[in-house]
Amino acid sequence: MPELKDLEHLLGPSPWGSSGRSFGEAEAAWGIQLPPDFKSVGLFYGDALITDFLFICGPEMLTEKGEWMSDYVRRGKSRTIPRPVLPDREGMLLWGHTIEGDRLFLEDMGSGVWTVSAFRRNLGDWYESGLPIIDWLVGVFGDEVAKDWMPEWPDRHWFETD
């Protein structure tokens, strides 16, 4: 089972170094505990656009993006996103997006397991991977997962944090 160090091997070090970032505000605002594997990824690579394509939410953007998407789904603006989104009760966690408009979610499968699902904008469909976030990201950046809708990655990755 892949770990954060396996993702770091593919992407390189965190653009944030070892700063004291936390998801405490989001967890308090929503009254939940976020999945631990998401928190580790979000603290390490969150609030950054990776290689001009994939954005991962971190402590700065998670609440704003989640509340916007939750409201969007609640108002019936999407027929393709099948379930509520946090902070709505029992909602999925919007954890990122691509520059092409794909929306990336984690769905609670019970027993502490959250798996990656996505609204794929260009394909106009709903995707369920069955994989936890670190497994999915290692597979994506290792060109083994989601090859039909993720780009061909360069040998070296870069981050945009502003």
Side-chain angles (χ1 to χ4, degrees):
M1 181 171 233
E3 298 175 6
L4 188 61
K5 66 180 174 63
D6 299 310
L7 186 57
E8 183 179 15
H9 177 74
L10 291 167
L11 296 180
S14 169
W16 304 110
S18 58
S19 66
R21 295 163 24 105
S22 165
F23 282 105
E25 282 186 35
E27 290 178 320
W30 292 351
I32 63 162
Q33 288 293 308
L34 294 168
D37 55 347
F38 163 72
K39 287 180 13 179
S40 65
V41 169
L43 292 174
F44 208 73
Y45 292 116
D47 298 319
L49 180 64
I50 302 170
T51 314
D52 291 333
F53 190 79
L54 193 142
F55 180 85
I56 296 176
C57 295
E60 298 297 318
M61 297 301 297
L62 181 69
T63 304
E64 178 183 333
K65 288 185 177 287
E67 289 176 0
W68 181 87
M69 182 57 70
S70 178
D71 183 58
Y72 185 79
V73 171
R74 189 181 324 113
R75 290 184 296 128
K77 298 294 185 180
S78 173
R79 287 179 241 170
T80 309
I81 298 173
R83 288 174 272 299
V85 176
L86 287 170
D88 285 357
R89 191 168 183 258
E90 298 183 15
M92 301 180 293
L93 173 65
L94 175 70
W95 65 268
H97 61 83
T98 70
I99 61 162
E100 293 183 345
D102 307 306
R103 300 293 184 231
L104 305 168
F105 299 92
L106 285 175
E107 291 191 73
D108 185 354
M109 307 314 268
S111 302
V113 176
W114 292 67
T115 61
V116 173
S117 295
F119 163 66
R120 300 188 297 183
R121 183 177 175 271
N122 289 337
L123 298 172
D125 68 359
W126 185 250
Y127 162 89
E128 294 178 344
S129 73
L131 296 171
I133 189 169
I134 293 175
D135 297 50
W136 190 81
L137 286 168
V138 167
V140 163
F141 289 110
D143 293 323
E144 298 169 2
V145 172
K147 294 191 299 190
D148 60 331
W149 58 288
M150 287 289 149
E152 191 172 312
W153 300 105
D155 292 334
R156 265 183 95 116
H157 294 276
W158 59 92
F159 304 97
E160 183 177 326
T161 58
D162 292 329

